[in-house]
Amino acid sequence: MDSDDCYMESGEEDLYSDGADDYYDGDDHDGYDKDDTGFLVDDDDDDSSMISSPRSHINYVVLKEEDIRRKQESDIAQVSMILSLSKVEASVLLLHYHWNVGKVNDEWFADERRVRTSAGLEGGSAAVPYSEGGKVACGICFDYFCPTDIVPIMCGHAFCSTCWTSYISIAINDGPGCLMQKCPQPSCPVAVGRDMVEKLVSFEAKDKYNRYFLRSYVEENKKTKWCPAPGCDHAIEFSATGTGRSYDVSCLCSHRFCWNCTEDAHRPVDCDTVSQWIRKNSVEAENTKWILENSKACPKCKRPIEKNHGCMHMTCTPPCRYEFCWLCLGAWSEHGAGTGGPYACNRYSKAKVEGMHDEAEMKREMAKNSLEKYTHYYERWAGNQTSRQKAIGDLEKFLKEEVMKLSEKQCIPETELGFITDAWLQIIECRRVLKWTYAYGFYLPESEQEKRQFFEYMQGEAESGLERLHKCVEMESEVFQNPEDTPKQDLKGFRTKLTTLTSVTKTHFETLVKALENDLSDVGFASGVEVTI
């Protein structure tokens, strides 16, 4: 890769961290200098790792719009020079082969004529139809024009400039398909090049075409993807040169996402699990389960009814108004002394023994258990997401408002308070990891008890350490805003305590991440150790 393109590239290791890039926008920072937002930023990628993994060499580059355009023009120039073509022809070839320079060269030297024909660089030759008086007939409007008013194309078909302008402008307004536009003559395979667009259409249409042309370089290229953050025009060029499975990348806009599936960064959970979990969280699916668990269908009109009172006497809503028993779903008029009293029913138990309600009850019980399991994991998944967002807000407040005040009150430089920033960054990254471990736990098979126990033990150890760290930085740092009550030696003790908790928490989460990335393969070794959960 050219050094000019490397606005953000991973180090020799797959250093996996929200780091400063998740919260700050800027290009150059020295140590804990402030950027335009006033935030402190650590410039050392290797040292700023919140959770590291030395298992792979995964590199990616964040490309701004000008970088994409420069790389695109470089590829066009390279193909043009090697194949001795014009830049317009080189552009047509690259669009046809999805901007794969290597494939263009290989196919060209294998069979040049076939490539020319398939890409639309040549077609059947057609003589220009001159009429008497030396005028030329347009193939669309069939009017006759002076040769200077006719715009020729390499296939020889003749059309006037007005018809050409309308033809190309309509194609541009129809969308990106204009990049592969062919000659207006029916069945003619010759491509309409960029030079025709430059000569004939309006400035607005030309600008739209150029935007399609630029975006095609990213969208047709298997190695690049747009950042999915709203309003972001950056792209990520990913080079899977390592053997690792992590695709998490961080854009210059501060958005962190998985390059493979474009969802939010979710290491150490794989993309399939994340996709299942997101679908699981859809409102309609869970509403259906809620209805199944908390309601029963009216025996008469079949509408779902929720039981909101203690007694078993149910009355359906108008216009049905059918009265029935919640337990046995029988008509309420049939309930009396023979059923155990008007407000008690032993029919349900009797019918259940006889097998009349087994299937329905089994389905309802399964739905209830499934919902309870989902609720358990979803609450913790959502809770950690909420805590993460709160931690991001607390870090921003600390860097914008509190760090300067604390520096002045404690009479120490701001750089000596970097340990608090490090703690917040560690909390934010660990909350992200912990959130996704609950999605992992939801799909961990119940039959694999050893794995589940091992997972829950490691998750519990990591979560316990994170809660201690979060409480320490959230609660204990407030007391140092009043220098009269906190001597300088107390701040040193707080620094030691917080630094230790940060390091311990990082170690717990590195262990957890490594275990999940290895699919809990160490469970056999761990099973020999008695674990109390």
Side-chain angles (χ1 to χ4, degrees), residues 93-112:
L93 275 179
L94 285 166
L95 281 168
H96 182 72
Y97 286 102
H98 308 291
W99 296 99
N100 189 328
V101 176
K103 188 172 183 180
V104 168
N105 293 333
D106 292 343
E107 295 289 328
W108 181 272
F109 290 116
D111 191 341
E112 177 182 339

Side-chain angles (χ1 to χ4, degrees), residues 380-408:
R380 286 152 181 79
W381 180 86
N384 278 285
Q385 171 66 5
T386 302
S387 294
R388 183 175 186 271
Q389 294 301 322
K390 176 65 165 56
I392 292 174
D394 289 341
L395 174 59
E396 291 176 351
K397 181 181 178 182
F398 172 75
L399 295 173
K400 281 184 176 179
E401 304 174 8
E402 298 176 2
V403 66
M404 186 179 296
K405 295 178 183 178
L406 187 58
S407 173
E408 292 174 354

Side-chain angles (χ1 to χ4, degrees), residues 6 145 223 298 414 486:
C6 298
F145 298 87
K223 296 193 298 182
C298 169
E414 292 182 19
T486 55

